[in-house]
C-alpha cells in the first residue's frame, strides 16, 4: 500500500466512522454470545479482499462502532462489555493459528485459545505467572523461593523482567551459555544437566523459555529436544517467536517451529513483521484455565449473566490490565486486505533483501558475517586489522556511530562471544532494494574513512 | 466535537499522514535530548487552539512521523528509539500535573515524574512492585511472605490482582470494611488498628491504596489522615483517582484530592473522563528511581550513548512492557484542541446531568438514592415493597435486566451493605439532558410494570 492508496482508504474509513457517529443512536446496545462466528469464514483468505468487501455486511457496523466506542468511553473488560471485540479476537487468532499450522490444542474450540497481548513481555509474564501459580498450588506457596526458570543467554530480557515481577529469585534464573558451536541456540544437554543439578539441590524446575529467532542474531532453539526435556520434568514450555513467528506462515520456513506441539504456550508479535500496527502480540496457550486461575478477579460490578453462566470468554482474565482495546480489528483488516499469499510474498521479499545484503558483506574482504542469517537480520562486522579483539570492537562501535549520525539509516548492535557485532535488519514495509544498496554504500564509505584514520 | 467536525478534522489528519508517508525519505532519523521542551509552552492552554495551529510548526512532522512509525515498525522502548514520544510524554504529564495542582515533587523536573500506563491496573501494579522491592532491599527478599498491603472493601479489584502477581500472600491483603457511616470511605482508625495488629504479629506493613471516587459509589477516602498514618509507618501511599481525578481540574472539585502531598504516587485515567481515547492512564511518582530499580533491564542491544550517559528518561523502565506507543500524542491533542476551560465545562456538564438524574430519583417515592453522589455517578434503587432485603434485591436485579434488554441504555450494578444497587453513570461525550430524561422514563416504566406484577 503506497501513500496514495493509504490516503484513499483512510478517507473512506473516516467517512465510515463519521457516519457511524452521526447515526449512533440507531444502534442497539447488546448482542448474543457467538453471533460473530456465524457471520465470518473459518480461516483467513488466501487472496486480498477490497476495503468495500471488508466494510460491507451487517457485522461491520458493530466492529467499527466498538472501535469507536474507545473514543467515547471504553469498557472492554469482559464479553458483555465488548462482544464484537471478544468474538473477533477468538476468530482471528484461530485463523492465524491455522496459518501457522499450530496444533489444534491451541485453538479456542478446545481447552486452549489465543489472546492478544500488548507485547511479548506481557505474553511471557502472564504465562510465567500461570506456570508459577500452577506449581505453587501443588507444592505450597512458601516454595516460591525454590522455583527455577530456564533460558539461554540469548533469551530476551523480558523473561528476566517477568521473573523479577513474579518474585522468582534472581539466583534461580538459569541463563545457560550459548556459543558459535550451536549457532547461539540453547543446547538440550546443558538444559538437562542444569535441571538435574537443581533437582539434586532440592529446587523445583518450573519454566523454560525457548526462542525462535533470538533478538541478537535470530538463532533458533531446538524445540523438539527442549520440549521433550520440559515435559518429562513437568516444566511449562513457552516459545517466544516474537519476531520470527511471522515467517512461519510460509511453508518453506515453517520447519523453524517444528516441535511446537511440545509447547505449553507460543507467542508471535504481529506488530513486528506482519504489517500490523503496534501493539499486537498474539499468544496461544493449551490450557487457558491456568491463565485464568492466575489472573481472574470477579468484583461485583463486573458480574453478569453471560460470564456467570460460562457462556463466553472474558479476556480480562487472560491479561494484566482490566480494560482492553479492540486490537483484533487491525489483525483482521491485515488478514483480509492483504490475504495470506501477499503476506507470504512480503516476508519472502524481506528475506531476499537481507540475503542480498549478506552477499554484499561477503564480497567485501574487510567485513565478515558474524552469525548465520536465518531470516531478515544480518549480523556482521568489520574484521580487526590486527588480530586484536578490543581494537575490532572499538572500530565497529565507531562505524555504528558514524553511520547513525548521517541520519540516513539506523543500525543497532549486539555482542556475540565478546565480539561487538553490527545488525542490519530489513523489516519496514517501504524498504526496497535501492535502500539496501544505499545503506551498504554508506557503511562502506564510513568504513573506508575509519580505516584510513586508524 | 460533532460528527461533521470529526469528519473534517479526520480528513485533514489523513492528508497530513499520507503526505508524511510520501515524503518520509526526506526526514532525518535522529534527534537531540531535550529538543522538544524548547519548542512547546510550559503549561496546557486555557483556550482551545485550531487543528491547523496544532499541526503547524516544525516539531509536528516529528510527532506524526513517530505516530506513523507504529504502522511501520514500532521501536518505542527508550529515548533513543523515540525521542518525540518520550519528551512529549514528560511535557504533557507535567502540564496535566499542574492543571491538577499536584505537588512539584511529582513533576519530571525533580526526582519524580509522570508516565502513561495502559490502565489503572498497570499503574497500581508497577507502584506495588516498586514498594515491594524497596522494602525487600531493606529487610531481605525472604521476607516477601510478611509484607502486608492495605485497602478498603471499596478499592478496585486491580489491587488484589497486583498483589497476586507480585506474590503478596492473599492472607496479607487487608481489605478493611466500610459502611454507610463513613459514606463507604476508609476509616483512618481502622487502618491504624490493622497496622498495629500486624506489626505486633511480626508482619511488615508496606503499601496503602486509597481511592478518590471508588468504582462502586465514587466514595472518597480521607487522604490527609490516611497519608499521615502511611508516612509514620513507612508505607508506600498510592492514590487511585482513576475516574474522579479528571474532576479535580475544576477549582470547585479540587478539594477531593486535598492530602495528595502525602502520597508516594497518584493515578488518574485520562481515558475515563477526559475525552482521551483508551488507553491513557496517567501515573505520577515522587521517586522515579524506585520504579526504575524494580523494572529496569539493560540488555546489550538497547545500550546507547544517551541512556548510558543518564541524559534522558527511558520509559521502558517505568512500565511492564518493553515496547510502547505514542500515547502522549492524544492527550496533547485533547489539551490543545479543547483547552482547559472547555475540559472543565465538560466535567461540570456531566456532574450537572447526574444531579438532574439524582433529583428525578428523589422525586419518585418508589426509589431511593443509595449513596451520596459526589461526581457523575448516581447509586439508586427501588425500595422494598415490604421490609424485605432479599425481595428488594431481586426486584432491582429484575429492573436492571428489564432496562438493559431494551437495548436503549445500559446500566450496571453494585452491592453496598448487602443491598443490590443500580448505577447510573454520565460519562459519554454525546450524552445530553434528553438522554437522561429518556433513561429515567424507561426506568420508571419498567419499574411500574415490575411492581404491577409483584
Amino acid at each position: 500500500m503506497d501513500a496514495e492508496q493509504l490516503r484513499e482508504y483512510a478517507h473512506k474509513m473516516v467517512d465510515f466512522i463519521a457516519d457511524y457517529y452521526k447515526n449512533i443512536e440507531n444502534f442497539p446496545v447488546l448482542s448474543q454470545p457467538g453471533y460473530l462466528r456465524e457471520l465470518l469464514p473459518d480461516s483467513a483468505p488466501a487472496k486480498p479482499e477490497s476495503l468495500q468487501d471488508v466494510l460491507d455486511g451487517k457485522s461491520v457496523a458493530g466492529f467499527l462502532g466498538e472501535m469507536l466506542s474507545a473514543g467515547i468511553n471504553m469498557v472492554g473488560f469482559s464479553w458483555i462489555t465488548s462482544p464484537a471485540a471478544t468474538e473477533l479476537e477468538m476468530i482471528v487468532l484461530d485463523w492465524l493459528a491455522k496459518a501457522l499450522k499450530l496444533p489444534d490444542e491451541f485453538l479456542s474450540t478446545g481447552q486452549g485459545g489465543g489472546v492478544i497481548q500488548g507485547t511479548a513481555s506481557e505474553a511471557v509474564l502472564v504465562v510465567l505467572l500461570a506456570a508459577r501459580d500452577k506449581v505453587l498450588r501443588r507444592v505450597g506457596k512458601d516454595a516460591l523461593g525454590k522455583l527455577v526458570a530456564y533460558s539461554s543467554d540469548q533469551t530476551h530480557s523480558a523473561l528476566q523482567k517477568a521473573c523479577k515481577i513474579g518474585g522468582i529469585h534472581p539466583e534461580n534464573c538459569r541463563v545457560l551459555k550459548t556459543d558459535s558451536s550451536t549457532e547461539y541456540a540453547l543446547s538440550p544437554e546443558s538444559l538437562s544437566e542444569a535441571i538435574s543439578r537443581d533437582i539434586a539441590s532440592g529446587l523445583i524446575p518450573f519454566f523454560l523459555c525457548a526462542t525462535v529467532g533470538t533478538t541478537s542474531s535470530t538463532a533458533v532453539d531446538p524445540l523438539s529436544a527442549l520440549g521433550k526435556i520440559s515435559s518429562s520434568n513437568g516444566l511449562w514450555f513457552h516459545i517466544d517467536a516474537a519476531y520470527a513467528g511471522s515467517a512461519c506462515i510460509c511453508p518453506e520456513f515453517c520447519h523453524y517451529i517444528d516441535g511446537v506441539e511440545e509447547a505449553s504456550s507460543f507467542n508471535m508479535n504481529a506488530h513486528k513483521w506482519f504489517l500490523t500496527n503496534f501493539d499486537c502480540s498474539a499468544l496461544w496457550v493449551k490450557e487457558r484455565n491456568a491463565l485464568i486461575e492466575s489472573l481472574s478477579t470477579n468484583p461485583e460490578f463486573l458480574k453478569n449473566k453471560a460470564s456467570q453462566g460460562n457462556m463466553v470468554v472474558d479476556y480480562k482474565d487472560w491479561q494484566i490490565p482490566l480494560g482492553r482495546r479492540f486490537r483484533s480489528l487491525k489483525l483482521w483488516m491485515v488478514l483480509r486486505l492483504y490475504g495470506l499469499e501477499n503476506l507470504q510474498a512480503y516476508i519472502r521479499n524481506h528475506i531476499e533483501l537481507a540475503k542480498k545484503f549478506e552477499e554484499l558483506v561477503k564480497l567485501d574482504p574487510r567485513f565478515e558475517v558474524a552469525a548465520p542469517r536465518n531470516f531478515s537480520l544480518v549480523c556482521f562486522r568489520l574484521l580487526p586489522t590486527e588480530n586484536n579483539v578490543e581494537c575490532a570492537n572499538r572500530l565497529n562501535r565507531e562505524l555504528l556511530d558514524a553511520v547513525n549520525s548521517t541520519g540516513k539509516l539506523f543500525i543497532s548492535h549486539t555482542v556475540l562471544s565478546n565480539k561487538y557485532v553490527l545488525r542490519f535488519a530489513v523489516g519496514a514495509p517501504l524498504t526496497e532494494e535501492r535502500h539496501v544498496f544505499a545503506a551498504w554504500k554508506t557503511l562502506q564509505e564510513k568504513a573506508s574513512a575509519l580505516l584510513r584514520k586508524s
Side-chain angles (χ1 to χ4, degrees), chain A:
Chain A
M1 226 187 257
D2 65 13
E4 293 314 316
Q5 203 177 351
L6 167 75
R7 194 190 307 271
E8 182 201 328
Y9 274 34
H11 280 305
K12 276 189 192 161
M13 192 64 91
V14 165
D15 285 324
F16 188 92
I17 292 174
D19 290 343
Y20 170 81
Y21 237 133
K22 215 165 142 178
N23 300 309
I24 192 165
E25 294 188 32
N26 304 329
F27 294 103
V29 183
L30 288 174
S31 312
Q32 293 305 313
Y35 79 101
L36 199 56
R37 204 173 278 270
E38 288 171 23
L39 296 168
L40 294 178
D42 259 0
S43 56
K47 307 275 182 199
E49 300 178 83
S50 76
L51 183 64
Q52 208 47 56
D53 284 349
V54 175
L55 293 181
D56 274 353
K58 262 191 198 161
S59 59
V60 175
F63 302 157
L64 286 169
E66 193 146 340
M67 175 179 74
L68 235 208
S69 81
I72 302 169
N73 190 16
M74 173 72 188
V75 281
F77 315 132
S78 41
W79 181 88
I80 187 82
T81 64
S82 47
T86 302
E87 299 202 6
L88 191 66
E89 188 158 332
M90 294 165 70
I91 293 167
V92 168
L93 288 186
D94 282 351
W95 284 9
L96 190 53
K98 287 175 191 169
L100 291 165
K101 303 205 171 29
L102 295 186
D104 285 352
E105 295 120 292
F106 286 116
L107 299 181
S108 68
T109 40
Q111 304 298 308
V115 57
I116 298 177
Q117 304 283 333
T119 62
S121 303
E122 287 148 285
V124 73
L125 174 58
V126 298
V127 296
L128 182 109
L129 295 170
R132 177 196 70 178
D133 294 346
K134 190 179 168 183
V135 65
L136 290 182
R137 278 193 295 277
R138 188 163 50 80
V139 299
K141 64 180 184 300
D142 291 326
L144 178 63
K146 292 185 181 172
L147 301 191
V148 188
Y150 301 83
S151 66
S152 88
D153 57 4
Q154 300 300 306
T155 303
H156 194 279
S157 57
L159 176 67
Q160 182 203 337
K161 189 161 177 170
C163 287
K164 279 169 87 170
I165 292 168
I168 306 304
H169 287 188
E171 66 269 25
N172 291 348
C173 297
R174 298 280 164 270
V175 177
L176 304 169
K177 261 188 91 64
T178 63
D179 59 33
S180 58
S181 73
T182 60
E183 298 181 347
Y184 301 101
L186 176 55
S187 125
E189 292 71 36
S190 75
L191 176 67
S192 273
E193 284 165 22
I195 290 177
S196 301
R197 261 197 314 273
D198 288 326
I199 292 174
S201 328
L203 297 172
I204 305 169
F206 86 109
F207 192 82
L208 167 67
C209 179
T211 310
V212 175
T214 58
T215 309
S216 269
S217 70
T218 69
V220 177
D221 289 336
L223 304 183
S224 290
L226 297 174
K228 290 200 170 69
I229 299 169
S230 291
S231 63
S232 67
N233 287 282
L235 273 64
W236 184 292
F237 177 32
H238 177 64
I239 297 176
D240 169 5
Y243 155 72
S246 299
C248 304
I249 60 164
C250 302
E252 70 271 34
F253 303 125
C254 198
H255 66 89
Y256 284 115
I257 56 170
D258 282 354
V260 64
E261 58 282 359
E262 305 282 346
S264 316
S265 48
F266 178 88
N267 168 235
M268 80 144 227
N269 286 353
H271 59 249
K272 268 208 169 68
W273 199 15
F274 209 70
L275 284 163
T276 309
N277 274 45
F278 185 87
D279 52 350
C280 187
S281 179
L283 170 69
W284 291 269
V285 294
K286 277 188 185 163
E287 198 189 334
R288 62 174 174 248
N289 277 338
L291 269 189
I292 294 169
E293 290 211 47
S294 267
L295 298 170
S296 78
T297 53
N298 197 15
E300 187 62 39
F301 70 98
L302 292 180
K303 287 181 182 163
N304 67 85
K305 281 187 178 171
S307 298
Q308 305 298 98
N310 277 323
M311 296 151 68
V312 294
V313 159
D314 289 325
Y315 275 129
K316 70 177 178 62
D317 299 333
W318 299 47
Q319 63 173 17
I320 303 295
L322 174 58
R324 56 203 325 272
R325 285 168 296 126
F326 195 172
R327 288 182 292 210
S328 55
L329 193 63
K330 52 192 178 187
L331 192 50
W332 178 76
M333 286 274 181
V334 164
L335 287 167
R336 294 193 69 170
L337 289 179
Y338 292 97
L340 284 173
E341 289 177 9
N342 278 333
L343 288 164
Q344 290 166 340
Y346 171 79
I347 297 280
R348 285 175 185 134
N349 178 46
H350 281 174
I351 292 180
E352 283 307 311
L353 290 175
K355 270 190 195 165
K356 186 76 64 181
F357 185 87
E358 186 186 24
E359 282 161 21
L360 293 170
V361 173
K362 284 181 177 168
L363 284 174
D364 187 330
R366 300 171 302 172
F367 287 88
E368 71 167 355
V369 173
R373 184 208 48 71
N374 291 318
F375 304 100
S376 69
L377 175 82
V378 182
C379 291
F380 67 105
R381 64 174 197 139
L382 208 43
L383 286 165
T385 38
E386 301 117 53
N387 203 356
N388 179 332
V389 173
E390 256 324 298
C391 151
N393 286 355
R394 199 186 60 241
L395 204 61
N396 280 289
R397 257 195 305 271
E398 286 170 5
L399 180 57
L400 178 97
D401 285 342
V403 165
N404 284 348
S405 58
T406 64
K408 289 187 196 164
L409 69 158
F410 187 83
I411 57 171
S412 54
H413 80 279
T414 189
V415 173
L416 292 171
S417 305
N418 297 318
K419 290 175 192 160
Y420 190 94
V421 169
L422 305 180
R423 297 163 74 255
F424 181 85
V426 180
L430 297 176
T431 303
E432 301 170 17
E433 199 175 75
R434 66 186 169 93
H435 298 113
V436 174
F437 282 114
W440 178 241
K441 191 157 166 266
T442 303
L443 273 157
Q444 280 188 312
E445 284 168 5
K446 294 295 172 189
S448 299
L450 276 174
L451 290 171
R452 262 198 309 275
K453 262 204 325 198
S454 74

